[in-house]
Amino acid sequence: MTFDEAALDRAFLALADPVRRSLIARLSRGPATVNELAEPFPITLQAISRHISVLEAAGLITRTRDGQRRPCHLAPSALEQLTSWIDQYRLTTERRFRRIDAVLETVKEQDHE
């Protein structure tokens, strides 16, 4: 599988900030406006807007217009790309551990004989 390295860099850089990770977590429960996203944070609305802009530039969230409201939404395809990238390494590592476990089990069985 081929990944857009620049997009991955933007996404991981965006997720490096704990406030932005919290915003992603909140949006996983459904769309929210900037004011709704800002409620739990002791920072300015302007700071939240900057965090949202970073997430939007990274392709992790989108914004729509609903009358006067401009709710933010998660971009599932971007999150799927990130998890796919991570999974390729996780699966490789898991296969290695399973092989090591099999070898250790064989050694253990041989020791008991």
Side-chain angles (χ1 to χ4, degrees), residues 11-107:
F12 282 118
L13 190 59
L15 293 172
D17 186 278
V19 171
R20 291 192 286 264
R21 288 193 305 272
S22 293
L23 294 173
I24 292 289
R26 166 53 189 88
L27 289 171
S28 72
R29 297 190 310 269
T33 64
V34 174
N35 286 334
E36 292 166 343
L37 290 170
E39 284 176 12
F41 297 100
I43 58 179
T44 66
L45 200 57
Q46 184 180 14
I48 291 294
S49 290
R50 281 194 302 262
H51 284 296
I52 289 169
S53 293
V54 170
L55 292 169
E56 199 171 12
L60 297 171
I61 67 170
T62 60
R63 295 174 89 178
T64 57
R65 185 170 295 280
D66 180 16
Q68 292 288 335
R69 297 183 70 221
R70 290 210 40 189
C72 299
H73 310 264
L74 279 182
S77 62
L79 296 175
E80 287 173 17
Q81 258 198 342
L82 290 175
T83 56
S84 293
W85 183 85
I86 291 167
D87 277 349
Q88 73 180 348
Y89 298 106
R90 183 185 58 81
L91 294 171
T92 299
T93 302
E94 284 179 3
R95 280 192 293 275
R96 287 181 184 150
F97 280 127
R98 281 194 292 275
R99 285 196 304 263
I100 290 170
D101 286 345
V103 168
L104 291 174
E105 189 62 34
T106 301
V107 169

